[in-house]
Amino acid sequence: MDHFQLQNGVLHAENVALPDIAEAVGTPVYIYSRATLQRHARVFRDALSACSDAHLAFAVKANPNLAVLKVLASEGYGADVVSGGEMVRALKAGMRAEDIVFSGVGKTGDEMARALDAKIGQFNIESEEEGAELAAIAAAKGCIAQAALRVNPDVDAGTHGKISTGKAENKFGVPIREAAAIYARLATMEGLNMRGVAMHIGSQLGSLDPLEAAFVRLGALIADIRGNGQSVTHADLGGGLGVPYRPGESPPSPADYGGMVGRITKDWDVRLMFEPGRVIAGNAGVLLTKVIRVKPGAVNPFIIVDAAMNDLARPALYEAYHDFAAVQPDGARFTANIVGPVCETGDTFAMGRETDVMQAGDLAIFRTAGAYGATMASTYNSRDLVPEVLVDGDRYAVVADRIMAGTVMDAERVPEWLLDKDMDGGDA
């Protein structure tokens, strides 16, 4: 469920008409619903109510906007971060340091040192080499890093190859067959408290079967580690639960997921940790755009909108589907290609899509854009960075300004030797 619905023939975010935002802020613009964020956060938490003392850490990479993080912090969520920058964002948004989990395969020494100084709750170690480096940094600081070992269970998540993270050929975690021995060696290192294991097999999962298979393997690993004499008190089960992008899609519900988790982990005797991202934020946001013109095509007309692949990269990266709809539909439908203005054929949102009839100047939205939307935006083609708006009932606020291409250019410098009249090598 989301809070982007028609009221008197006009699409609203909660109780704010989208044309009002377009007039005040311009397009394209991301719009988030606070009510939807809160509802999804609570539904996910309630689905895990049978899991004693579950730790919920929002995957900041899904949507790092400070206002979004602030809403989730108020719902008791911590943060799953994969960079020093995301850690700073989580702390600034009011998430407690002890509720931050630092994941990611490429943590630098500087990032680990800063995270130790911030006293974050846990590091998810991705390799034995990383664990040794973290141990040395912590020991030099005279502190202890709370750590879990991320394992790769070699389970195919059945999702897009570019967002699959749990197969043997993926870069994440250590092979599960080697994990118990690696855990034992890391547990002897000064500066580390090896307290748990972690796993994440992919994003946008449409079935619970791969997750269940991976969790069964993780449970066996926990038993092996304990059998070797080491302690396991925490198990991070990651995230990845899918959301409906296409009309009629019905991925597993948080309630179904919670039931499966409870059944598989009932005898683990650990604190369970979760890293939901898309399932919280995905349907809590839309990308509002304006039609520049409708251009005849060889088969179907092209709806050219002012949003582009630099604003919403998922279709170009993953052939991802986003539902496209008019803000003020009149009931007429046609088949069209939906494209942006960037000078790439890949700047295509849909081909041969049945959609609302539109013309130049009409407003439209791409739905389910609250996760992996603005966070992946760029300034390609020297375009502005898209702004973001948060709606709360009948009020709204700009929570990220449009960053103009000229502002980006102001950070660039032309070296003095290129300012000379002689461009052939100067005095040389």
Side-chain angles (χ1 to χ4, degrees), residues 25-46:
V25 182
T27 57
V29 55
Y30 279 96
I31 301 172
Y32 310 126
S33 160
R34 177 176 181 172
T36 307
L37 286 167
Q38 290 179 320
R39 180 181 184 278
H40 290 178
R42 293 169 186 176
V43 166
F44 191 85
R45 182 181 61 221
D46 292 346

Side-chain angles (χ1 to χ4, degrees), residues 55-57 73 77-81 86-102 114-123 146 195 271 273:
H55 179 270
L56 303 179
Y77 277 64
D80 167 60
V81 306
E86 286 189 350
M87 180 188 73
V88 170
R89 282 182 171 272
L91 291 169
K92 188 170 183 179
M95 291 170 165
R96 301 188 308 171
E98 58 265 38
D99 290 334
I100 294 177
V101 178
F102 202 143
R114 286 189 286 137
L116 286 167
D117 290 342
K119 296 181 172 58
I120 69 160
Q122 180 172 298
F123 293 84
Q146 305 299 320
R195 69 180 195 177
R271 186 182 191 194
M273 307 174 73

Side-chain angles (χ1 to χ4, degrees), residues 98-288:
E98 58 265 38
D99 290 334
I100 294 177
V101 178
F102 202 143
S103 303
V105 71
K107 307 177 195 70
T108 67
D110 179 65
E111 285 178 320
M112 289 189 280
R114 286 189 286 137
L116 286 167
D117 290 342
K119 296 181 172 58
I120 69 160
Q122 180 172 298
F123 293 84
N124 284 352
I125 296 171
E126 298 264 0
S127 67
E128 187 169 1
E129 294 81 1
E130 178 190 315
E133 183 176 359
L134 175 61
I137 294 170
K141 287 179 171 290
C143 63
I144 302 294
Q146 305 299 320
L149 179 64
R150 179 171 177 174
V151 301
N152 186 319
D154 194 18
V155 170
D156 187 347
T159 188
H160 193 286
K162 291 185 179 179
I163 51 177
S164 176
T165 60
K167 293 192 291 185
E169 62 266 30
N170 297 144
K171 67 181 181 180
F172 298 97
V174 302
I176 196 164
R177 66 183 180 278
E178 301 174 21
I182 292 173
Y183 192 101
R185 290 193 292 271
L186 291 175
T188 67
M189 294 185 180
E190 181 186 0
L192 279 188
N193 176 34
M194 293 302 299
R195 69 180 195 177
V197 289
M199 177 183 289
H200 176 71
I201 66 169
S203 185
Q204 187 53 18
L205 274 66
S207 169
L208 294 179
D209 293 343
L211 286 170
E212 181 168 344
F215 296 165
V216 168
R217 295 183 185 186
L218 193 65
L221 174 63
I222 291 172
D224 287 346
I225 291 172
R226 287 172 172 163
N228 290 339
Q230 284 85 47
S231 172
V232 179
T233 59
H234 292 69
D236 187 335
L237 301 185
L241 203 58
V243 300
Y245 282 95
R246 298 173 184 266
E249 280 187 339
S250 55
S253 70
D256 293 338
Y257 173 74
M260 182 272 288
V261 167
R263 173 170 51 84
I264 297 299
T265 66
K266 59 184 174 63
D267 297 323
W268 286 12
D269 189 26
V270 295
R271 186 182 191 194
L272 294 175
M273 307 174 73
F274 301 88
E275 303 167 6
R278 187 192 315 265
V279 72
I280 305 295
N283 284 311
V286 300
L287 176 59
L288 178 62

